[in-house]
Amino acid sequence: MKKEKQSIIASYRLEELLVVPGLMIDVHYKKAGEPAHHPNADLTTAHRHEFYTLAITGKTGSQHMVDFRLIDMPPESMFLLAPWQVHLSSDADQALDVYLISFTADFLPAGFPALPVCMECPVIPDSATYQEIWHLCAQLLKEFKTRKALQEQVLQHYLAVLLTYFMRYLPENTKSSSLQPELLTRYRELMEKHLLCWSSSGDYARALHVTTDHLNEVVKQETGQTASALLAARRILEAKRMLLHSSHGIKEIAWCLQFNEVTYFNRFFKQHTGQTPVAFRISSREKYNYNPE
């Protein structure tokens, strides 16, 4: 296999951000005027996590950019940020009133339902349920700060209850999209880990110990796309992220995404988006009134 490349966009593992190493969960209540919760990472610029983060707002809302969508979180709402999504808070300097609960998939109790791959908008529980959720967040934070016997098990169960409340309010199409076969789930996970190194569906099929035809069959049955088309869409998403959030040139981005010729990258990008990479960079930055350079 080829040597892995480093992503242009910063990526953080949970163990890198934990102030106190140990459990694969971090529970934090963010309010106005607090110092940075993660002093070892720059979370004010576009970045991604290799873990989930569940956000529950209090009396103050917030706004975030998550993969080309502006997510408005009103007061008393919930949003789940999935691993690898590129995000940026547009109100880092404003007042916040939010619980941030970060955790790895492995921290969930065995047999817990699959979480959504991505969300289009936050969920808003009814008032009575929200009060239970907010109280549960306070209990979770208290347990997180108090080192006691069986702490991990208590935290796991608090988190499972919180996520169960959250999933009750998901739209039906989001719930159904999370119920995907294990092979498709593993294929998506491998794409996230090896996108900058493996550029064909055959590479992934070999790593999954299946034939390319079988991988195609499963992916197409669930998504309506071939494995190659799903991979192409993922490469386009990564190209868009780099074009919007980085100052790297088109040639550098093409090389990072395994395109040996910038002309081929330009054709590939325009075929899938209808725009050249340069045109997309200009239009997307104008649309979001955003320039990282």
Side-chain angles (χ1 to χ4, degrees), residues 131-188:
Q131 294 303 320
E132 294 180 28
I133 289 169
W134 193 254
H135 175 71
L136 189 56
C137 288
Q139 292 297 108
L140 186 69
L141 179 60
K142 180 180 178 181
E143 181 67 28
F144 178 75
K145 289 182 173 181
T146 307
R147 306 296 176 180
K148 291 183 178 180
L150 301 177
Q151 181 190 30
E152 180 173 343
Q153 289 79 358
V154 173
L155 290 172
Q156 281 180 328
H157 285 84
Y158 275 145
L159 177 61
V161 174
L162 264 179
L163 290 171
T164 301
Y165 277 130
F166 162 76
M167 293 179 75
R168 284 178 177 174
Y169 288 89
L170 288 176
E172 287 302 319
N173 62 332
T174 307
K175 291 178 184 177
S176 61
S177 66
S178 67
L179 301 176
Q180 54 188 14
E182 183 182 357
L183 182 62
L184 177 56
T185 300
R186 290 167 59 204
Y187 180 44
R188 290 185 187 277

Side-chain angles (χ1 to χ4, degrees), residues 35-156:
H37 179 47
H38 301 302
N40 299 324
D42 180 10
L43 303 185
T44 61
T45 59
H47 62 282
R48 68 182 116 214
H49 303 156
E50 298 182 20
F51 50 88
Y52 290 96
T53 295
L54 179 66
I56 301 100
T57 56
K59 300 301 181 184
T60 306
S62 60
Q63 187 180 73
H64 311 266
M65 183 190 293
V66 181
D67 279 341
F68 312 101
R69 295 191 306 278
L70 287 176
I71 306 295
D72 283 302
M73 287 193 68
E76 302 187 1
S77 65
M78 306 175 76
F79 187 85
L80 182 68
L81 187 71
W84 308 105
Q85 289 186 288
V86 174
H87 58 284
L88 174 69
S89 176
S90 62
D91 46 16
D93 298 325
Q94 297 179 17
L96 288 177
D97 176 26
V98 59
Y99 278 101
L100 298 172
I101 303 162
S102 299
F103 57 94
T104 62
D106 291 340
F107 189 78
L108 292 171
F112 194 84
L115 296 173
V117 175
C118 65
M119 295 180 62
E120 297 290 336
C121 58
V123 299
I124 304 175
D126 63 76
S127 180
T129 302
Y130 173 80
Q131 294 303 320
E132 294 180 28
I133 289 169
W134 193 254
H135 175 71
L136 189 56
C137 288
Q139 292 297 108
L140 186 69
L141 179 60
K142 180 180 178 181
E143 181 67 28
F144 178 75
K145 289 182 173 181
T146 307
R147 306 296 176 180
K148 291 183 178 180
L150 301 177
Q151 181 190 30
E152 180 173 343
Q153 289 79 358
V154 173
L155 290 172
Q156 281 180 328

Side-chain angles (χ1 to χ4, degrees), residues 160-225:
V161 174
L162 264 179
L163 290 171
T164 301
Y165 277 130
F166 162 76
M167 293 179 75
R168 284 178 177 174
Y169 288 89
L170 288 176
E172 287 302 319
N173 62 332
T174 307
K175 291 178 184 177
S176 61
S177 66
S178 67
L179 301 176
Q180 54 188 14
E182 183 182 357
L183 182 62
L184 177 56
T185 300
R186 290 167 59 204
Y187 180 44
R188 290 185 187 277
E189 289 173 349
L190 283 179
M191 277 196 284
E192 299 301 339
K193 293 179 181 178
H194 303 292
L195 185 71
L196 303 185
C197 183
W198 302 353
S199 57
S200 77
S201 57
D203 292 330
Y204 295 92
R206 283 189 289 275
L208 292 166
H209 306 292
V210 298
T211 65
T212 304
D213 287 344
H214 180 62
L215 180 60
N216 264 322
E217 181 181 347
V218 172
V219 171
K220 193 163 188 177
Q221 183 176 358
E222 293 298 319
T223 69
Q225 297 179 294

